[in-house]
Amino acid sequence: MKLSELIEGRIKLNLPATNWEEAVRAAGALLESKGDISPTYTEAMVRVVRELGPYAVIAPGVALPHARPEDGVRRSCLGLVRLATPVEFGNKANDPVDLVFPLGGSRDEGHLEVLAALARFLSTPGNLEAIRKAKTEEEVLSVFRQHEMEGGAR
Amino acid sequence: MRIVTLCGMGFGSSLMLKMTIEDILRARGIKAEVVAWDLGSFKGQQADVVVAPDDMERHLKDYPGVVVLISNLVDRKEIETKVVGAVEGLLKGAGGTK
């Protein structure tokens, strides 16, 4: 499945959060509202960041909180929360974080495809900048679609 | 050549790293087995090269093998420079037999 199809309806811009926990909870709530995950999964994401530290932060300003499928994933899912104000996760190289991509992985090969596509999307120059500049959720979605049309989905 | 990519869960960024590294090594014709693992289950495992986010440094400082630390896990250039550097260093050291 394409990232744009996965993330459609799961993008929220300028969400207020004062710390990493509020940011992760807001990101989880977004997927909960779509029925993608159960509340236990949001709790697990928070617990993982608390216990394992700042490893959810994978690139400058970008966090990818997730837990295990058995923690409450109903279907493979991905969201995006852009924070009104960046927050610290405790990652010295990549703090502060303004883009939070909550991820719910499935146990099948589809999960690897999503991760591979996401890695390509995030590593393509200009994509993150475009997301940070976007004024509406629809504009963010079109960044994903544009990326896929230009062959980034392969 | 056995490369292990690490992250907290073994289910997100370590898999991303694994796929990126496989891609890079394939393009260069370097043969290696790349395995993604979580930090907890990695303890005591053997690898020629361990690739991990740089915040994991404190957990790996006693590791006897080669450790490569990455700060931006989606920066292909950073990953390529550091991992290929480490792998080629090892291949030279082993006379290219590994």
Side-chain angles (χ1 to χ4, degrees):
Chain A
M1 188 185 246
K2 286 179 180 169
L3 289 181
S4 61
E5 292 166 12
L6 207 56
I7 208 166
E8 186 168 10
R10 292 157 180 83
I11 299 167
K12 272 266 187 293
L13 299 186
N14 306 327
L15 218 97
T18 54
N19 55 46
W20 69 260
E21 185 170 342
E22 282 182 24
V24 172
R25 286 189 187 283
L30 180 59
L31 296 183
E32 281 176 39
S33 73
K34 290 288 175 181
D36 296 338
I37 58 169
S38 64
T40 53
Y41 191 77
T42 302
E43 289 307 316
M45 287 197 290
V46 169
R47 195 176 63 236
V48 167
V49 178
R50 187 174 292 135
E51 284 169 7
L52 297 174
Y55 306 135
V57 186
I58 57 168
V62 179
L64 184 73
H66 63 280
R68 309 278 311 179
E70 57 270 27
D71 291 316
V73 177
R74 295 202 182 108
R75 56 174 169 251
S76 180
C77 53
L78 177 71
L80 167 59
V81 164
R82 192 180 75 188
L83 300 173
T85 317
V87 299
E88 307 267 328
F89 272 69
N91 182 302
K92 60 179 187 300
N94 298 316
D95 267 340
V97 168
D98 62 336
L99 300 179
V100 182
F101 291 86
L103 172 75
S106 55
R107 241 176 288 263
D108 52 40
E109 283 289 305
H111 179 56
L112 285 182
E113 282 170 29
V114 170
L115 284 174
L118 189 59
R120 275 193 298 273
F121 177 83
L122 296 175
S123 61
T124 301
N127 281 345
L128 286 172
E129 200 189 342
I131 286 180
R132 289 187 167 112
K133 279 189 183 154
K135 291 189 177 64
T136 62
E137 277 101 18
E138 190 54 40
E139 269 183 52
V140 173
L141 190 59
S142 70
V143 177
F144 283 90
R145 290 198 176 128
Q146 189 68 29
H147 170 78
E148 285 157 2
M149 265 170 16
E150 285 162 4
R154 278 198 301 273
Chain B
M1 174 77 58
R2 181 176 166 83
I3 300 173
V4 169
T5 60
L6 282 183
C7 71
M9 298 286 293
F11 205 66
S13 39
S14 61
L15 287 171
M16 277 182 162
L17 261 179
K18 167 187 149 79
M19 289 185 283
T20 306
I21 291 170
E22 281 173 344
D23 239 29
I24 289 169
L25 296 183
R26 197 181 306 123
R28 289 170 170 260
I30 299 172
K31 283 214 174 83
E33 179 198 8
V34 189
V35 187
W37 240 316
D38 67 280
L39 184 62
S41 2
F42 173 68
K43 296 269 161 72
Q45 300 275 353
Q46 281 308 309
D48 297 300
V49 181
V50 176
V51 186
D54 65 358
D55 276 81
M56 245 178 223
E57 186 173 13
R58 65 198 162 95
H59 296 289
L60 294 168
K61 54 179 191 298
D62 297 327
Y63 188 74
V66 176
V67 175
V68 174
L69 297 168
I70 307 287
S71 66
N72 182 341
L73 300 177
V74 298
D75 182 344
R76 212 184 150 93
K77 273 204 193 104
E78 179 186 354
I79 298 168
E80 179 152 14
T81 308
K82 290 181 176 173
V83 172
V84 170
V87 167
E88 283 181 343
L90 275 180
L91 289 175
K92 265 186 210 141
T97 53
K98 242 182 176 176

